[in-house]
Amino acid sequence: MSTLSAKERIIYQIYPKSFKDSNGDGIGDLKGITAKLKYLKQLGINTIWLNPIYVSPQIDNGYDVADYYQIDEKLGTMADFDELVAKAHALGLDIILDFVMNHTSDQHPWFQAALKDKDSEFRNCYLWHQGKNGGPPNNWGSFFGGSVWQKDPLDSNNYYFHLFAKEMPDLNWAEPKVQVEMLKIAKFWLEHGVDGFRLDAFIHIAKADFEQDMLAKSAEPQIAEMFYANLPQVQVYLKEFIAQLHQIKPDIFILGEAASADIDLAVDYTTPKKESCDTVVTFRYFAEDKSQVESDLPQIGQPVKLDILGFRSNMLEWQKRLEGVSYPTLYWSNHDMPRILSRFAPKKESKACAKMLATLMYLQRGIACIYYGEELGMRSQTLGTVADFEDPQIVDFAKQAKQKGWRDGEILRKASQAHKMAARLPLPFDTTAYAGFSNVQPWKWSKEKNVASIAEQMSDPDSVLNFYRQILQLKQKPVFIEGRFILENTSSELYVYRRVIDEHKQVLVICNLSEHEKSYPCGAFTKVLLSQNAKVSAAQAKLAPYGSLILQK
Ligand code: GLC
Ligand code: CA
């Protein structure tokens, strides 16, 4: 049984295809992960979250699951998985799996049966509806572009619902079969030793009445979150599901992906404890500065910078409201967004920024979740062709940008700073041709110079990697687990907070978010726990651009 409580968890997110290739086919795999467990242990994490590893046609990199009970053959076998779990556990590392509960692949046997036969017992496991005025049932838009509706091949005036790609039909959670099957899948993996799940897109499992349209100026399908995100019924399904998971495994750890959840919903989704997520990931921390976005081009290919003021107030709200309730997930990047350094840091300041941002984020109250490669200071990398994005929306963006006179290089550079795919590249282990990730050309590759490799950073005491180790060591101290969070009132160029257990046991964290030198009166906090580009003298903290400092009394 796992001995970790939620608040002690330090998570490392692995995108399996890009972590480490063990058999020379250019695709990362389970054996690759097993081979590098010691590296993760030394980093100081204690929980590994794997993006989907199930059999999948890979329309959406594994989030389109065709068989929930088998490992995708490109990633390995069930024996490889069992070995990974056993070796991880032996090192004190827990494994949690992505749990895809909102949809299946269109290749899943249920959908195949439902598609071929209107009377199939699996028909009602998906969502179907009659069209309206010769078109789809309503004007709701898919997150992946176009309508959420796709024609039923058996009936030209009937449609099925897909919130993501059309090859990913949404499940009907009102159908008991769906609920029973999802529980069975979870049980199967718990029996294989997993310690918990990351619930993928769970906030979408309930939908509103389909006979409603979004108010809209154009005939285009519209994103319609009010009709398919965070409906009250989601909580009913969720609580029932998690309560049952707890019966199977009382100490299970549940990380819920709740991209658009606000703080009120975060409270709902994380209480009461035994039938809720331990923590939820919101995308709302990251307020966006859209001042550079050209309004006549699709936003998907245009970088947006982090809006510091907005970020600061969102973060404060989550820290305060979840005090005594649950632990927020603390993260900067994941597989669905550009890497943080590309959203925040000037290239030449990457290293200082990586360290400062780690200090800022992970020593707050909550569960740290580090996206693979972040510990090296990886940025999103520029992809070589439009096709590399594997996204029709980028093809469309590129076409429109070209018409406006953008050059090819500029299109690729901008789109790479904006799109999730450029944040999913192989991890560099050494300085050999394919960075020690593989000995052949990896499944996705960029010629752009990446960060210093793991081997180089290991032997450099000043590296981002060694800094992350120190941060994660501090993170395990009681004051950073239990301490109250107090944000100090400063200009937006500084981010200063205290973690407080009592008058004597407290720490002060000072981060300089600006390209200017900054000072901050630090009073009785004179003992330096960790610093980069900063020092203390005469009760003043002095921070170089993007410097950071952790002080104790
Ligand atoms: C989640 C995943 C994302 C995926 C989507 C559909 O948001 O993080 O990568 O595309 O769900 O499964
Ligand atoms: Ca491989």
Side-chain angles (χ1 to χ4, degrees), residues 87-312:
K87 295 218 160 130
H89 284 172
L91 288 171
L93 302 173
D94 281 357
I95 303 271
I96 68 171
L97 292 185
D98 230 306
F99 194 81
V100 188
M101 59 199 291
N102 177 66
H103 44 263
T104 68
S105 159
D106 62 353
Q107 300 305 308
H108 190 281
W110 280 10
F111 192 68
Q112 284 297 310
L115 206 57
K116 284 176 192 138
D117 175 7
K118 277 198 156 183
D119 298 322
S120 158
E121 57 168 321
F122 300 112
R123 185 85 175 173
N124 196 44
C125 293
Y126 296 91
L127 300 164
W128 308 85
H129 207 72
Q130 289 289 300
K132 199 173 64 186
N133 311 325
N138 56 40
N139 69 349
W140 304 356
S142 151
F143 287 140
F144 285 6
S147 168
V148 296
W149 296 104
Q150 181 70 15
K151 270 199 177 139
D152 174 357
L154 293 179
D155 172 352
S156 64
N157 190 36
N158 200 43
Y159 295 76
Y160 71 83
F161 185 106
H162 62 90
L163 189 49
F164 297 91
K166 67 177 190 317
E167 295 87 351
M168 298 157 75
D170 282 46
L171 286 162
N172 175 16
W173 268 73
E175 164 59 48
K177 244 196 200 51
V178 168
Q179 301 186 23
V180 169
E181 180 65 12
M182 283 292 141
L183 201 63
K184 201 175 131 206
I185 295 166
K187 191 156 181 267
F188 175 86
W189 289 104
L190 289 170
E191 280 163 1
H192 274 273
V194 309
D195 302 281
F197 297 110
R198 175 241 187 209
L199 304 184
D200 178 62
F202 80 84
I203 60 174
H204 304 296
I205 60 178
K207 277 86 177 170
D209 190 329
F210 293 141
E211 313 234 335
Q212 307 174 84
D213 280 300
M214 284 294 283
L215 287 177
K217 287 198 188 106
S218 81
E220 295 295 303
Q222 308 285 318
I223 295 297
E225 297 234 26
M226 61 188 289
F227 294 135
Y228 53 54
N230 300 304
L231 298 189
Q233 183 65 22
V234 167
Q235 293 183 40
V236 178
Y237 295 144
L238 180 78
K239 294 195 163 160
E240 169 103 19
F241 182 62
I242 295 183
Q244 297 190 63
L245 292 180
H246 273 283
Q247 284 180 8
I248 306 171
K249 185 174 167 58
D251 60 347
I252 190 170
F253 175 66
I254 304 281
L255 170 95
E257 188 214 17
S260 59
D262 61 16
I263 184 64
D264 292 324
L265 286 163
V267 172
D268 291 343
Y269 291 146
T270 58
T271 49
K273 202 170 173 322
K274 283 290 161 209
E275 46 190 65
S276 305
C277 301
D278 291 288
T279 180
V280 289
V281 170
T282 182
F283 285 26
R284 289 203 182 212
Y285 294 158
F286 306 117
E288 296 178 333
D289 168 4
K290 296 192 180 162
S291 55
Q292 306 295 317
V293 169
E294 297 186 22
S295 59
D296 54 348
L297 278 178
Q299 203 188 302
I300 189 149
Q302 303 189 65
V304 285
K305 289 273 164 215
L306 184 68
D307 162 12
I308 297 294
L309 268 183
F311 165 76
R312 187 193 172 87

Side-chain angles (χ1 to χ4, degrees), residues 359 363 474 479-480 496-499 504-510 520-531 534-537 539-543 548-553:
T359 308
L363 298 181
L474 286 174
V479 69
F480 290 114
V496 181
Y497 61 88
R498 273 181 296 144
R499 297 296 307 276
H504 306 288
K505 286 198 204 107
Q506 42 177 304
V507 286
L508 180 67
V509 178
I510 310 171
Y520 183 82
C522 51
F525 291 88
T526 48
K527 188 173 163 223
V528 177
L529 290 179
L530 187 59
S531 78
K535 58 174 192 266
V536 182
S537 75
Q540 284 286 322
K542 293 213 168 11
L543 300 100
S548 58
L549 198 53
I550 306 159
L551 300 171
Q552 197 176 294
K553 275 192 178 170

